[in-house]
Amino acid sequence: MGALLGAWIVTQIDPNLLKDIIGALLVVMLGIIFIKPSRWLREASEPATGRRLYIGYGLMFLVGMYGGFIQGGVGIFLLATMVLVLRYSMRQANVLKLWVVLIYAIPVACIFIWQGQVDWFWAIFTSVGQSVGAYIGAVFLTRFKSASLWTYRLLLVVLLGTVIQFYELWRFVL
């Protein structure tokens, strides 16, 4: 439900405001990745109960809104909620993340199609890329014992590179 609401909101928002929101959320994502690295590397799940479980459900709704709103980087917020709040292992959270994105992507795509906001070339290109990436990620997670550590490291590198590119921070270095 959150993804549907987020998709509808993004079809109504000013593009300049959207760019500011995306930039702020990238910085938030980077901060989340640095929170308690040991939790990210947990090998076994410790099921959340009580209040933590309800907070996790609320956050999943908000992450769904974000996913419908922007999509880019939703995996980081899904992983953060599942690993840091709901206490899944990185391996289990990655598997669940793939299913969650698959489930909400179809109705969200319908909203963008209905609003006439789909560039079909890039939609197909992105869909194929996400499918191939999901397959490679699933194979990696099932075959390598240190997959959680490498996934964490990859998240750091990709997100840091994205923030540097988005804010053009490389200009200050060159």
Side-chain angles (χ1 to χ4, degrees):
M1 295 306 298
L4 294 174
L5 179 60
W8 180 80
I9 290 171
V10 78
T11 63
Q12 309 300 312
I13 200 166
D14 176 81
N16 292 324
L17 176 60
L18 179 60
K19 184 176 180 186
D20 292 340
I21 292 170
I22 291 171
L25 288 172
L26 284 170
V27 173
V28 169
M29 280 189 263
L30 187 59
I32 287 171
I33 295 298
F34 282 109
I35 295 173
K36 296 191 179 183
S38 61
R39 280 195 185 172
W40 287 94
L41 304 177
R42 178 185 319 123
E43 288 299 322
S45 293
E46 304 165 6
T49 58
R51 184 174 176 214
R52 180 177 284 274
L53 186 62
Y54 293 114
I55 290 170
Y57 289 158
L59 287 173
M60 289 298 281
F61 179 82
L62 294 174
V63 170
M65 279 183 62
Y66 172 83
F69 188 80
I70 296 174
Q71 174 59 32
V74 71
I76 295 169
F77 284 123
L78 284 169
L79 287 175
T81 300
M82 287 189 259
V83 171
L84 300 176
V85 179
L86 294 173
R87 297 182 176 169
Y88 284 98
S89 68
M90 179 71 89
R91 183 178 303 252
Q92 290 170 319
N94 262 300
V95 171
L96 288 171
K97 173 193 72 165
L98 296 174
W99 281 106
V100 167
V101 171
L102 175 66
I103 290 167
Y104 82 70
I106 295 167
V108 164
C110 291
I111 289 175
F112 286 104
I113 292 168
W114 176 52
Q115 294 289 324
Q117 297 183 357
V118 175
D119 180 328
W120 287 102
F121 172 79
W122 290 110
I124 291 168
F125 182 79
T126 303
S127 296
V128 169
Q130 285 183 331
S131 298
V132 169
Y135 176 77
I136 291 169
V139 169
F140 180 72
L141 284 170
T142 57
R143 293 192 181 163
F144 297 101
K145 186 174 173 91
S146 62
S148 294
L149 176 61
W150 285 102
T151 302
Y152 180 76
R153 288 175 178 167
L154 182 62
L155 282 171
L156 282 172
V157 170
V158 168
L159 194 52
L160 188 57
T162 303
V163 168
I164 289 169
Q165 188 276 331
F166 186 85
Y167 286 106
E168 299 179 358
L169 298 176
W170 46 267
R171 289 180 175 203
F172 296 110
V173 176
L174 299 177

